[in-house]
């Protein structure tokens, strides 16, 4: 297949199935990722996430269906795809006797990076990931989290157009997780297409522009977080944050449509509404009553389910496409 002119769909997975003897690991899986999109791929252990990634990066070449990356068909044009692909596996395997510099130099060469660009490239990516101080240390001397960041460095070294990340934030401390998430978002904004699988759903929620939920080898749903939420009824809960707690808020309990009011913390209230309550109208009355009670409002917002709650609803027999 020749290179396609269809650039907006950078990665196309169409009707992909993969069977290992009697186990159907992927069952007619289809999704598309546009250039610059950050696609979060979530599902329980054994759902087929790793199989998807292995097909995508060329580690599994026998499967049913169509896979195109950057307009090239896989696995037929894997040589072209590998030049534009950066891959961070779940378990990074470096030879422990190598230094970070030596390991990255080898991966840069294998990725086809021009010789004159290798050393400047290593210096730049290590600085970006705050790893400059370990450049000449041996892998065996590094912590698990630092090795994970070195793995990300090798995936980014040749400036790939597609970045495939399998549990990229595993083992990282909070500061490093924040740093890596910022890098992922910046790469997406600059046009890098990113596919990443993670069990840390809050991290997926933080960075993904599109999310795919996989279970038992089948796609349950695909969409933005707001689109995934829209398939389930919203809770009739309102969160109120006050600048100080005078206790006068207890008068809210008498308002029409209010079932109960919980004091979640010193200045944070959770108002539970009846199923028939009009949220917009009730919020208006809540604000009026709080002002009348001389309660200083910092914020008032309807409670929206997070990705963890949406994910569990899908896996518990909720919706599927």
């Amino acid at each position: 297949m020749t290179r396609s002119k269809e650039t907006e769909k950078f990665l196309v997975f169409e009707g992909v199935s993969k069977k290992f003897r009697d186990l159907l690991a992927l069952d007619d899986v289809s999704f598309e990722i546009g250039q610059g999109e950050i696609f979060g791929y979530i599902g329980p252990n054994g759902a087929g996430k790793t199989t998807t990634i292995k097909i995508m990066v060329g580690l599994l070449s026998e499967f049913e269906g169509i896979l195109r990356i950057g307009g090239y068909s896989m696995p037929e044009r894997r040589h072209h795809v590998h030049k534009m692909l950066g891959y961070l596996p779940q378990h990074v395997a470096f030879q422990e006797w190598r230094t970070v510099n030596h390991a990255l130099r080898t991966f840069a060469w294998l990725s086809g990076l021009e010789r004159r660009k290798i050393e400047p490239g290593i210096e730049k990516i290590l600085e970006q990931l705050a790893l400059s101080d370990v450049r000449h240390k041996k892998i065996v001397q590094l912590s698990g989290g630092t090795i994970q960041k070195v793995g990300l460095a090798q995936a980014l070294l040749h400036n790939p157009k597609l970045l495939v990340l399998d549990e990229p934030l595993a083992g990282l401390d909070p500061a490093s997780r924040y740093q890596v998430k910022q890098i992922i978002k910046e790469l997406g904004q600059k046009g890098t297409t990113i596919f990443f699988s993670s069990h840390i759903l809050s991290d997926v929620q933080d960075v993904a522009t599109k999310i795919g939920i996989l279970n038992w080898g089948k796609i349950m749903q695909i969409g933005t977080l707001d689109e995934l939420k829209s398939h389930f009824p919203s809770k009739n809960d309102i969160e109120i944050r006050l600048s100080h707690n005078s206790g006068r808020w207890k008068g809210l309990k008498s308002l029409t449509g209010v079932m109960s009011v919980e004091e979640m913390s010193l200045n944070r209230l959770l108002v539970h509404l009846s199923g028939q309550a009009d949220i917009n109208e009730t919020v208006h009355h809540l604000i009026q009553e709080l002002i009348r009670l001389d309660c200083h409002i910092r914020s008032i917002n309807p409670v929206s389910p997070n990705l963890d709650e949406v994910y569990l609803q899908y896996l518990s027999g909720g919706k599927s496409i």
Side-chain angles (χ1 to χ4, degrees), residues 227-235 305 309-319:
E227 288 169 344
L228 296 182
K229 289 178 182 179
S230 70
H231 292 279
F232 295 99
S234 300
K235 294 179 181 178
E309 293 170 318
V310 172
Y311 170 76
L312 288 173
Q313 289 191 68
Y314 278 106
L315 293 195
S316 64
K319 315 274 184 172

Side-chain angles (χ1 to χ4, degrees), residues 10-11 31 33-41 52-53 56-57 69-70 81-89 111 125 128-129 148-169 179-198 207 210:
F10 191 84
L11 187 149
F31 57 83
I33 310 176
Q35 184 174 351
E37 279 192 319
I38 304 174
F39 188 86
Y41 200 50
T52 302
I53 289 173
M56 194 178 297
V57 301
I69 297 176
V81 170
H82 284 170
K83 289 181 178 180
M84 65 175 78
L85 172 70
Y87 173 44
L88 173 63
S111 298
I125 197 63
Q128 185 179 6
L129 292 171
Q148 186 77 357
K149 288 174 71 176
V150 173
L152 180 59
Q154 67 79 22
L156 292 172
L157 193 53
H158 58 296
N159 194 28
K161 294 181 179 179
L162 171 65
L163 191 58
V164 179
L165 308 172
D166 193 359
E167 299 291 344
L169 303 167
Q179 177 194 24
V180 170
K181 284 191 286 187
Q182 291 302 111
I183 290 171
I184 290 173
K185 287 191 280 190
E186 289 169 7
L187 288 168
Q189 290 166 1
K190 292 177 181 178
T192 303
T193 304
I194 300 168
F195 176 100
F196 80 104
S197 171
S198 178
V207 302
K210 185 189 291 185

